[in-house]
Amino acid sequence: MKFFIDTADVDEIKEAASLGILDGVTTNPSLIAKTGRKHKETIQEICALVDGPVSVEVTSEDFEGMMKEAREFVTWADNVIIKVPLTADGLKACKALSTDGIGVNVTLCFSANQALLAAKAGATYISPFVGRLDDIGRDGMDLIADIVQMYSNYPDIDTQVLVASVRSPDHVHKSALLGAHVATIPFGIINKMFKHPLTDIGIEKFLADWAKVPK
Ligand code: E4P
């Protein structure tokens, strides 16, 4: 399973990359706005920090606008891939970009049929938003189970399931059990994933015993 980090904060990306577990980055307009920095310089800095794909999202709502933005974004760095929303124009852009060999992450997926359409349109990644489904009283992980099973019924589909809107370590481990290809995880959740109280207690005990060893 691949781990992406869901942030545009360069310090968070540096820290996650230093753990040796980072396979890519996802950004979105809200995450970019949160940095208070310019889009292009932020993306270029991020792209230099990671080997894997960095998703950069278009903000145009029409096909031509999406294509124009995408064509510019891919000149910013070799590892930029384009994030388009799951709309009719987004699917058209996905088809056109993937036909040209450009990686596409189709975002804002909330149903299994949307995921099927993205796969048909040649998406590299489909991003179902589990946390936002949980927020409206649905179980986001049910959608992941459905998409993973649907895609596995058709071995010619090579779109990867990228679990997005991750809100807890539980979302990550359930995604892995279901066989999702990727989870894009906020920095705070990555930190929670390696913490365990018994690990801390264990270290404390080992160090206390070590202090008793004659030096
Ligand atoms: C995915 O690529 C999105 O950037 C992200 O996961 C959205 O998460 P949120 O619902 O916490 O905003």
Side-chain angles (χ1 to χ4, degrees):
M1 185 182 196
K2 290 179 197 153
F3 285 164
F4 292 176
I5 187 168
D6 196 30
T7 186
D9 183 315
V10 168
D11 292 331
E12 290 183 352
I13 294 166
K14 279 184 192 155
E15 184 63 28
S18 75
L19 296 174
I21 51 97
L22 197 58
D23 300 302
V25 177
T26 52
T27 67
N28 65 36
S30 306
L31 293 171
I32 294 288
K34 207 168 144 193
T35 67
R37 300 183 56 200
K38 289 189 175 160
H39 194 198
K40 182 175 177 179
E41 68 175 31
T42 308
I43 294 296
Q44 287 182 320
E45 203 178 326
I46 292 171
C47 286
L49 291 171
V50 289
D51 279 338
V54 175
S55 292
V56 183
E57 187 161 345
V58 297
T59 50
S60 297
E61 292 184 79
D62 62 300
F63 171 76
E64 285 78 17
M66 288 180 190
M67 292 301 289
K68 188 164 175 257
E69 283 184 72
R71 298 231 177 275
E72 190 199 333
F73 294 163
V74 294
T75 67
W76 291 356
D78 289 344
N79 48 344
V80 163
I81 68 163
I82 305 301
K83 213 175 183 190
V84 296
L86 217 155
T87 59
D89 286 68
L91 288 173
K92 285 182 208 167
C94 176
K95 185 69 185 177
L97 293 166
S98 60
T99 301
D100 282 358
I102 295 169
V104 185
N105 175 358
V106 179
T107 190
L108 291 167
C109 170
F110 296 96
S111 80
N113 278 332
Q114 287 181 318
L116 269 184
L117 290 167
K120 293 288 285 181
T124 317
Y125 301 101
I126 181 67
S127 289
F129 277 37
V130 294
R132 294 193 195 185
L133 280 170
D134 291 353
D135 289 345
I136 60 159
R138 301 269 307 280
D139 185 344
M141 297 317 298
D142 287 347
L143 177 59
I144 302 304
D146 283 355
I147 299 172
V148 168
Q149 182 176 342
M150 274 183 355
Y151 281 9
S152 69
N153 287 344
Y154 299 96
D156 55 318
I157 291 180
D158 51 17
T159 302
Q160 296 184 44
V161 180
L162 194 173
V163 181
S165 190
V166 164
R167 301 277 165 77
S168 66
D170 207 39
H171 277 152
V172 181
H173 105 255
K174 284 184 175 152
S175 299
L177 287 173
L178 291 168
H181 305 85
V182 191
T184 188
I185 316 169
F187 182 68
I189 306 297
I190 294 175
N191 281 334
K192 282 187 184 162
M193 283 169 66
F194 64 74
K195 289 260 182 213
H196 196 287
L198 289 180
T199 304
D200 297 339
I201 291 167
I203 290 171
E204 208 175 303
K205 174 82 170 75
F206 283 150
L207 292 182
D209 289 341
W210 185 247
K212 295 175 204 155
V213 174
K215 305 286 184 314

